[in-house]
Amino acid sequence: MSFNFPNHDTESAPKDALAALTDAEGRFGMLPNLMRKMATAPALLKGYLALGELFEQTSFSPAEQQVVLLSVSRENRCDYCMGAHSVLADMADVPKPVTDALRAGKPLPDPRLEALRRFTTAVVAARGWVDEAEVAAFQEAGYDAQQV
């Protein structure tokens, strides 16, 4: 059985999703298809946006946040996510060579961002259970315990 969720807009979405859709459109300058589909379940859409807002409050710069999100997307083999976060990386002024390398799964030209890419990939691959050597290498690159 397969489900075909509609790409809602402010006319077709459930009433409880309208504020979240309007917020998303304001933040991104358009309404991403993922969020249009999530509007079918307003709590899901609200939770997804809230998690994104919390991630934006971390000590990672906007560019570092996109490195994390693109690294996770690549490790999870989510082509849709890679495309969406590539656009967001452009909006966060991530240099094109960095985004291109992330999309290709290649080392990044910036050593600090490369450490972030490697650590993020290790976290996803190990489902959070990275070994102490991975944590040490990440911290040696200048990241702190909170960022781990």
Side-chain angles (χ1 to χ4, degrees):
M1 176 189 280
S2 98
F3 295 100
N4 186 12
F5 294 98
N7 282 327
H8 285 291
D9 58 26
T10 55
E11 298 295 318
S12 65
K15 183 178 77 170
D16 288 347
L18 293 179
L21 283 176
T22 301
D23 176 52
E25 190 169 22
R27 287 175 57 195
F28 301 111
M30 54 114 168
L31 204 46
N33 284 338
L34 179 63
M35 292 171 201
R36 292 165 54 104
K37 289 188 180 297
M38 284 183 177
T40 299
L44 172 64
L45 176 60
K46 291 174 190 176
Y48 182 82
L49 291 170
L51 184 59
E53 288 175 12
L54 289 171
F55 187 49
E56 290 170 3
Q57 295 173 30
T58 66
S59 57
F60 289 118
S61 71
E64 288 171 325
Q65 291 170 21
Q66 292 308 313
V67 168
V68 168
L69 294 168
L70 280 163
S71 299
V72 169
S73 298
R74 175 126 174 92
E75 186 67 18
N76 285 328
R77 297 179 185 94
C78 181
D79 293 336
Y80 175 85
C81 302
M82 288 297 291
H85 287 294
S86 293
V87 170
L88 294 175
D90 288 344
M91 293 170 65
D93 295 323
V94 175
K96 185 166 175 22
V98 170
T99 303
D100 289 346
L102 286 163
R103 291 176 61 88
K106 296 189 176 185
L108 303 183
D110 177 293
R112 183 173 160 86
L113 292 180
E114 172 59 9
L116 178 59
R117 183 197 69 81
R118 288 178 53 126
F119 186 73
T120 301
T121 300
V123 168
V124 174
R127 298 186 178 182
W129 296 100
V130 295
D131 61 38
E132 289 182 29
E134 294 282 0
V135 174
F138 185 59
Q139 290 181 309
E140 286 170 14
Y143 293 99
D144 62 28
Q146 182 185 44
Q147 293 165 319
V148 170

